[in-house]
Amino acid sequence: MSILEYNGASIVAMKGKNCVAIASDKRLGIRFQTVSTDFQKIFPMGKKLYIGLPGLATDVMTFANELKFHTNLYQLQENRELTPKTFLSMVSNFLYKRRFGPYFVEPVIAGLDPTTDEPFIASTDLIGCPMVTDDFVVSGTCLEQLYGMCETLYKPNQGPDELFECISQCLLNAQDRDAYSGWGGVVYIIEPNKITKRDLKARMD
C-alpha cells in the first residue's frame, strides 16, 4: 500500500462557465479505521483561490500552513492577489524542492483569475509535476471511480447550479465505491462575485 492511501481522500475540481467548483470528502482514517468525520482537506489561499490536499494527513496540514504563509508573504511584498497560474508554479516549486524527502500530498488547485475572472483548474503529483486541464481534475484514493463518474457526467460550460449538481453526484457516487474515503462531502462553488460552500450528506458506513 502507498503511504498516500494511508488516511484516505477523494478530491475533484471542475471548470464551468465563469465559475469553478472543488469538492472533497470529510473522512480521516487510518486505513479501514475511521478516526474523524470532519477533516478539512480544502484550504482557501486567496479570495477566489482554493487548494485541495489529499494524502498523508500530517503532511496535508504542514503543507497547507506553509503555502498560506508564502501566499500571505507574496501579497505583502507584491501588493496584489496571487493568480492561480502563479500559485500553481509556487506549489510545483515547493514540492520539487522536497523531491528527495517529499510531502505525501497530490494537490488540486481551483480558482478564478483576480483580474479577468478566468476559471482555472490544475493538479500536481507529489514531486510537483503540473497538469492543467479544461474540464476536470481528480486526486485521492478513489481516483479511478472519480475519473469514470466525471467522464460520464461532465459537460462543458455549465452554470453554477448545474456544476454543483454534477460535481456532487460525481463525488458521492465515486466515494461510495471506495472504503478509504466518504462520510459526506463539502463543495465550494467559486464565482466572480461570491463563493458558496455546501455540505453533502452521504452514507455513513
Side-chain angles (χ1 to χ4, degrees):
M1 171 190 278
S2 164
I3 192 66
L4 287 161
E5 298 175 2
Y6 185 71
N7 296 119
S10 56
I11 296 182
V12 54
M14 280 185 183
K15 190 185 280 193
K17 187 176 183 182
N18 301 322
C19 59
V20 290
I22 183 167
S24 81
D25 70 317
K26 294 182 176 182
R27 181 182 184 270
L28 169 66
I30 298 174
R31 297 189 179 164
F32 292 113
Q33 178 187 358
T34 301
V35 175
S36 172
T37 59
D38 60 353
F39 184 66
Q40 184 182 6
K41 297 172 188 175
I42 297 176
F43 302 88
M45 292 290 153
K47 288 178 183 172
K48 304 175 194 172
L49 181 61
Y50 283 77
I51 186 168
L53 295 171
L56 190 64
T58 49
D59 283 359
V60 165
M61 291 184 282
T62 306
F63 191 57
N65 288 333
E66 187 174 330
L67 284 177
K68 191 63 183 168
F69 169 75
H70 284 282
T71 51
N72 289 343
L73 204 60
Y74 177 92
Q75 286 167 13
L76 281 169
Q77 288 175 337
E78 301 287 329
N79 200 24
R80 60 191 166 102
E81 282 285 317
L82 193 63
T83 67
K85 287 178 184 175
T86 308
F87 182 63
L88 173 64
S89 299
M90 180 192 285
V91 171
S92 182
N93 286 335
F94 279 148
L95 290 172
Y96 190 69
K97 187 170 68 177
R98 291 286 303 267
R99 65 192 178 278
F100 298 116
Y103 288 116
F104 293 107
V105 293
E106 293 182 324
V108 170
I109 296 163
L112 301 179
D113 190 282
T115 52
T116 63
D117 286 326
E118 182 189 353
F120 180 88
I121 56 170
S123 66
T124 80
D125 63 5
L126 82 166
I127 58 166
C129 178
M131 181 182 74
V132 181
T133 69
D134 286 325
D135 42 19
F136 57 84
V137 286
V138 300
S139 192
T141 48
C142 65
L143 196 71
E144 292 88 354
Q145 294 91 327
L146 277 168
Y147 266 125
M149 287 303 305
C150 290
E151 285 172 357
T152 304
L153 298 180
Y154 178 80
K155 295 182 295 185
N157 295 319
Q158 295 179 101
D161 294 333
E162 282 182 293
L163 193 64
F164 167 73
E165 191 64 33
C166 179
I167 200 168
S168 301
Q169 291 298 330
C170 290
L171 182 74
L172 292 174
N173 286 287
Q175 69 189 21
D176 279 351
R177 291 160 179 80
D178 178 40
Y180 285 164
S181 61
W183 286 81
V186 58
V187 181
Y188 291 85
I189 308 290
I190 307 160
E191 299 172 66
N193 56 347
K194 64 177 178 179
I195 293 167
T196 310
K197 178 188 176 186
R198 291 179 179 166
D199 289 309
L200 305 175
K201 285 187 178 180
R203 286 175 51 168
M204 295 297 189
D205 58 355

